[in-house]
Amino acid sequence: MTFAYGEAEHAVSVLIDHGRGGKIRDTCVVKGSGLRADTEQAAQGNPLVVFQVIGATDARFRLAQADRRGRVPEQPDQVDDVVAHRALLRAPP
């Protein structure tokens, strides 16, 4: 999900692991320009990654579903990221 404050672009990225029941594996917040295009290009090289441009309503629905299913971080940094961004992921639109 991308958003901006004036010229400053940001993105919230959520890795939903559909192989593990649609649970959240990792999250991150990044800033910089061209984030969506960079992410789409990176995803093209991995057949296990699905990159889609979706609207805010659909994004909110998918995120809520994944949050209800739980979290499955595997690496220590993923655990930290999921905990650190939990409130942001649950914030009302």
Side-chain angles (χ1 to χ4, degrees), residues 2 9 11 32-45 51 53:
T2 60
E9 292 183 25
S33 61
L35 296 169
R36 193 196 62 77
D38 291 347
T39 304
E40 184 175 11
Q41 184 177 5
Q44 288 176 356
F51 182 88
V53 177

Side-chain angles (χ1 to χ4, degrees), residues 1 8 36 42 50 53 58 60 89 93:
M1 297 166 277
R36 193 196 62 77
V50 175
V53 177
D58 194 13
R60 178 48 116 187
L89 299 179

Side-chain angles (χ1 to χ4, degrees), residues 32-90:
S33 61
L35 296 169
R36 193 196 62 77
D38 291 347
T39 304
E40 184 175 11
Q41 184 177 5
Q44 288 176 356
N46 187 338
L48 297 177
V49 175
V50 175
F51 182 88
Q52 297 174 302
V53 177
I54 60 175
T57 302
D58 194 13
R60 178 48 116 187
F61 176 76
R62 291 181 192 201
L63 184 56
Q65 280 186 317
D67 189 46
R68 279 193 299 277
R69 291 180 179 138
R71 285 150 298 284
V72 290
E74 294 180 345
Q75 305 299 323
D77 63 323
Q78 292 175 337
V79 172
D80 293 344
D81 291 344
V82 170
V83 169
H85 299 112
R86 186 174 183 191
L88 177 62
L89 299 179
R90 292 182 170 181

Side-chain angles (χ1 to χ4, degrees), residues 16-33:
I16 299 173
D17 191 333
H18 295 284
R20 305 223 20 223
K23 298 176 182 178
I24 296 172
R25 179 182 289 190
D26 199 3
T27 64
C28 67
V29 178
V30 294
K31 59 183 173 179
S33 61

